């Protein structure tokens, strides 16, 4: 999920997903151009399973997806 969505930011979208029992346990990967360590820590603390920065390497995204599926 992109952190900077047009109508809602990724943190708010994640919060909404976590409040619904049907989506509460779905792993969510953050994608953002904000690569500052503080922002990455904020994303992980908020509950994103992985925080990838743009531009991301496709292999890293695929590895993150595989890791999320293994934990799910």
């Amino acid at each position: 999920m992109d952190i900077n969505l047009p109508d809602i930011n990724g943190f708010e979208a994640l919060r909404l997903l976590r409040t619904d029992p049907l989506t509460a346990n779905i792993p969510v990967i953050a994608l953002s151009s904000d690569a500052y360590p503080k922002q990455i820590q904020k994303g992980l603390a908020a509950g994103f399973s992985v925080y990838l920065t743009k531009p991301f390497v496709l292999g890293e995204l695929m590895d993150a997806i595989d890791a999320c599926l293994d934990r799910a």
Side-chain angles (χ1 to χ4, degrees), residues 51-70:
Y51 189 105
L52 297 177
T53 57
K54 297 176 188 178
F56 60 89
V57 177
L58 183 57
E60 291 175 0
L61 176 60
M62 298 307 294
D63 290 344
I65 292 170
D66 287 340
C68 287
L69 291 174
D70 286 345

Side-chain angles (χ1 to χ4, degrees), residues 11-69:
F11 288 100
E12 181 63 18
L14 179 66
R15 188 192 67 73
L16 292 172
L17 288 170
R18 294 295 180 246
T19 60
D20 186 331
L22 295 174
T23 58
N25 295 314
I26 294 174
V28 180
I29 298 171
L31 299 172
S32 179
S33 58
D34 191 343
Y36 289 106
K38 185 176 180 179
Q39 184 69 8
I40 294 169
Q41 291 170 348
K42 178 182 174 184
L44 295 174
F48 285 103
S49 300
V50 178
Y51 189 105
L52 297 177
T53 57
K54 297 176 188 178
F56 60 89
V57 177
L58 183 57
E60 291 175 0
L61 176 60
M62 298 307 294
D63 290 344
I65 292 170
D66 287 340
C68 287
L69 291 174

